Amino acid sequence: MDEWMNYEQFDRQTWHSFFPTDKVRLTQDNLEAIKSLNDRISIQDVQDVYLPLIKLIQLRYQSFLEWQMQKANFLRQSVRRVPYIIGIAGSVAVGKSTIARLLSILLNKLLPDKRVELMTTDGFLYPNAELERRGIMDRKGFPESYDMEKLLKFLNDVKAGEPEVKAPTYSHQVYDVQLDKPQLIKEPDILIVEGINTLQLPTNQRLYVSDYFDISLYVDADPDLIEHWYLQRFGMLLDTAFTDPSNYYYPYSKGNRDEAFKMARDVWQKVDLPNLEEFILPTRNRANVILHKTTNHAVDRIFLRRD
């Protein structure tokens, strides 16, 4: 069955017409501050794509709050805070982090009385030492390299309303988990969870991570285009790493640049592309919304799940 049968498809102009506002309340400098290295985003992108998306999320959030109240009344219970969780999935280098940060800022502006938190699943990778011990360092990013049981417990604790939940963090500078620098998630009204694995089914688990999501987004693009962005970002990382010996990319920045790019292409072909094709892309049809990108990170099509 064609996976697109479950989606309504809109071009950018039509999507913008559903919420044709120009009240952005952001500047281009604001956008430059939140975008990833080689990502691109403009005020026009916010108007055309992300403000209608935020309006859609707001409508779903209002329905979620009403349902929580109706359910509590039916069960004759007091209404408790249940976090609304937004999941964002997609390939490496496709721009998930920029979109997650942008949604966080827009939701904070739209719902100033609500607590909005943002975290990434990168911190739930096993530390490099553990990956080495298991002999899967070359599989970093694949499903088996994540402590999915720990991630599921984290999401369960958040949904259960625990007053404070710790999420491990990840440093892209040292290319490893930072177990001594956890992120504290404190009773969020809305939690944005971003990562390549957010829609995947964990091995030997009955739950999807996405079972905890109230709405999920998938950021999509042609793999050849993603490879271009991946290599472009790699070059920018080399340009910024040469002054910091602790940076993972420092040795590559000091060595032969052609050899460094050959290594990066090998990583894409042997790790990131197979991971995308085998484990990330097959989860696309679990998303409520798919944002399809074309050249220059421009969203040209939006797919909305029919259910």
Side-chain angles (χ1 to χ4, degrees), residues 182-200:
Q183 178 183 358
L184 299 181
I185 305 296
K186 299 181 179 180
E187 296 184 311
D189 294 293
I190 299 174
L191 175 64
I192 301 171
V193 180
E194 175 260 313
I196 64 173
N197 63 332
T198 54
L199 297 176
Q200 291 173 11

Side-chain angles (χ1 to χ4, degrees), residues 40-291:
R40 295 188 184 184
I41 190 165
S42 67
I43 295 296
Q44 194 68 51
D45 294 327
V46 177
Q47 289 178 348
D48 292 351
V49 178
Y50 297 104
L51 288 182
L53 177 59
I54 283 293
K55 184 61 179 179
L56 179 68
I57 292 173
Q58 181 194 23
L59 292 173
R60 290 187 60 128
Y61 181 52
Q62 288 172 340
S63 296
F64 170 83
L65 293 178
E66 290 170 6
W67 164 240
Q68 297 303 321
M69 184 175 297
Q70 291 170 358
K71 181 174 68 172
N73 290 338
F74 177 76
L75 298 174
R76 298 175 185 173
Q77 298 173 345
S78 59
V79 179
R80 68 178 183 88
R81 180 202 299 258
V82 179
Y84 187 82
I85 303 184
I86 302 169
I88 302 178
S91 171
V92 300
V94 80
K96 301 183 303 301
S97 297
T98 298
I99 292 174
R101 288 190 288 266
L102 176 60
L103 294 187
S104 177
I105 288 175
L106 292 176
L107 283 169
N108 271 301
K109 289 182 176 296
L110 182 67
L111 304 168
D113 59 327
K114 301 298 182 182
R115 183 179 180 88
V116 182
E117 298 262 20
L118 166 63
M119 54 83 63
T120 173
T121 63
D122 290 350
F124 291 90
L125 282 161
Y126 288 113
N128 288 348
E130 178 63 17
L131 294 175
E132 293 282 6
R133 188 187 72 79
R134 296 182 180 219
I136 56 172
M137 189 65 182
D138 61 342
R139 300 275 295 176
K140 190 171 185 177
F142 281 77
E144 64 267 31
S145 66
Y146 285 90
D147 190 341
M148 295 301 285
E149 185 174 343
K150 188 175 182 179
L151 176 55
L152 287 168
K153 184 180 185 308
F154 165 83
L155 290 170
N156 188 72
D157 289 346
V158 171
K159 266 296 185 188
E162 292 291 328
E164 184 175 283
V165 186
K166 292 182 179 180
T169 58
Y170 186 87
S171 169
H172 289 276
Q173 278 68 46
V174 300
Y175 198 61
D176 203 356
V177 177
Q178 302 181 106
L179 295 175
D180 60 336
K181 297 179 181 179
Q183 178 183 358
L184 299 181
I185 305 296
K186 299 181 179 180
E187 296 184 311
D189 294 293
I190 299 174
L191 175 64
I192 301 171
V193 180
E194 175 260 313
I196 64 173
N197 63 332
T198 54
L199 297 176
Q200 291 173 11
L201 176 63
T203 306
N204 301 322
Q205 296 282 353
R206 295 183 180 181
L207 287 173
Y208 291 93
V209 172
S210 58
D211 285 344
Y212 292 97
F213 297 159
D214 298 291
I215 187 171
S216 55
L217 282 59
Y218 184 95
V219 187
D220 193 29
D222 183 273
D224 288 340
L225 195 52
I226 301 174
E227 179 184 12
H228 170 71
W229 294 335
Y230 173 84
L231 294 172
Q232 188 181 55
R233 183 178 70 178
F234 178 76
M236 296 177 76
L237 287 168
L238 294 187
D239 292 340
T240 58
F242 68 94
T243 61
D244 182 8
S246 68
N247 192 299
Y248 173 79
Y249 295 94
Y250 179 79
Y252 301 107
S253 71
K254 304 298 284 188
N256 183 282
R257 199 170 178 90
D258 289 339
E259 291 181 3
F261 270 93
K262 181 181 182 303
M263 181 278 298
R265 290 188 186 93
D266 285 345
V267 170
W268 171 260
Q269 290 295 329
K270 296 176 181 178
V271 179
D272 293 311
L273 181 58
N275 194 19
L276 171 60
E277 293 176 337
E278 295 173 35
F279 298 107
I280 302 172
L281 193 56
T283 71
R284 180 175 61 186
N285 64 353
R286 296 189 190 132
N288 301 110
V289 179
I290 299 171
L291 302 176

